[in-house]
Amino acid sequence: MQFTSEQRLDDGILEREFTLGEIPGILWTPASASASAPAPLILLGHPPLGLHKMYPRLAGRARRAAADGFTAATIELPGSGDRPRWAAVEQARADLRRAMEAGEPVGDEIIDALILPLVENSVPEWQAALDALLLLPEIGGPVGYSGGVISIGIRLAVVEPRIVAAGFFAGSFVPAAMFEEARRVTIPLHVLLQWDDDGNDRQAALDLFDAFGSKEKTLHANMGGHTGVPQFAGEDAAGFFARHLK
């Protein structure tokens, strides 16, 4: 891991951009974290729109994490930002846009082509980033995962034992194969669902929640569309991570 820039934000948070091989990322460290008092870590997931576009929302989430005493980190997803594009995934995105503009149902073939390569390629990168982050003296366990493409979160919850709790956004397409993986998830979950999200299959989201094998899982469903998440929903998520990471 190589740090490429750093700045101190108004609230004392140290924001550092880094690269891990070809993978860009950002790390936010609260002023309270040090080698003698390492802070738990929350990995901030996000949709494949690029870190620059997602930065305002990611930074807002990181500030809240820091206020609660957590470090936060994120990485650029494969095929996003300035990383090389995948022809197959670009075609799947075009097929998705065409189906949605025509008001047609989005078929399993499109969902699989769009999501499964992202899961297969991004999860090992998240794990490599976690390896590097946990070597920093100001970061300690435990580790949480928050938001982003829910299928990536599902796979990480299954294969990465260092992640002890996860907050998911039920607002992205989920391949049928991920439902079977969901049954293997056992860590505590906090799942947010926007009830009137036009781009989200509400019943599929409910079925996925039902499939999770976790003994502790909570579904927070709020009225409103994809971008209408109420502020108190963030407070609830923060409370969830405070319970499980401290």
Side-chain angles (χ1 to χ4, degrees):
M1 173 179 285
Q2 180 178 356
F3 290 106
T4 57
S5 70
E6 69 174 57
Q7 64 173 329
R8 185 72 67 172
L9 304 183
D10 292 342
D11 39 11
I13 300 169
L14 179 61
E15 178 184 275
R16 288 176 285 178
E17 295 186 358
F18 64 85
T19 57
L20 188 65
E22 65 175 17
I23 308 167
I26 309 174
L27 171 64
W28 293 269
T29 307
S32 60
S34 65
S36 60
L41 172 65
I42 298 179
L43 302 176
L44 301 180
H46 55 90
L49 300 175
L51 283 183
H52 292 299
K53 186 172 183 177
M54 292 302 302
Y55 174 81
R57 279 194 280 173
L58 287 166
R61 292 162 61 194
R63 286 176 185 271
R64 177 53 205 253
D68 292 333
F70 303 128
T71 52
T74 191
I75 58 173
E76 187 73 88
L77 293 175
S80 297
D82 295 328
R83 299 188 65 182
R85 294 292 185 264
W86 299 339
V89 173
E90 290 295 303
Q91 181 61 53
R93 288 174 179 168
D95 293 341
L96 173 65
R97 286 193 297 270
R98 189 160 42 248
M100 296 185 72
E101 289 170 359
E104 300 172 351
V106 179
D108 289 343
E109 289 185 5
I110 295 177
I111 295 174
D112 288 356
L114 187 68
I115 302 298
L116 292 179
L118 192 59
V119 173
E120 294 295 335
N121 287 273
S122 66
V123 167
E125 293 182 351
W126 276 110
Q127 291 182 290
L130 185 54
D131 290 341
L133 289 164
L134 289 178
L135 291 176
L136 299 175
E138 67 270 27
I139 298 178
V143 179
Y145 176 86
S146 172
V149 178
I150 194 169
S151 293
I152 294 175
I154 291 170
R155 175 67 60 81
L156 278 169
V158 171
V159 304
E160 181 46 73
R162 291 173 292 186
I163 295 176
V164 301
F168 291 154
F169 297 163
S172 54
F173 294 107
V174 181
M178 298 306 301
F179 281 75
E180 187 58 39
E181 290 198 37
R183 295 182 175 88
R184 297 164 54 198
V185 174
T186 58
I187 62 175
L189 297 178
H190 178 100
V191 182
L192 176 64
L193 171 64
Q194 285 302 103
W195 200 251
D196 305 305
D197 188 348
D198 292 337
N200 183 40
D201 185 334
R202 182 195 302 166
Q203 188 58 54
L206 295 174
D207 292 343
L208 180 64
F209 180 79
D210 188 48
F212 285 126
S214 303
K215 291 183 178 179
E216 181 186 335
K217 56 181 180 179
T218 303
L219 178 67
H220 285 244
N222 298 290
M223 305 303 292
H226 191 77
T227 59
V229 180
Q231 182 174 354
F232 63 77
E235 298 293 328
D236 293 338
F240 168 80
F241 284 114
R243 288 197 306 275
H244 293 286
L245 300 186
K246 287 188 174 180

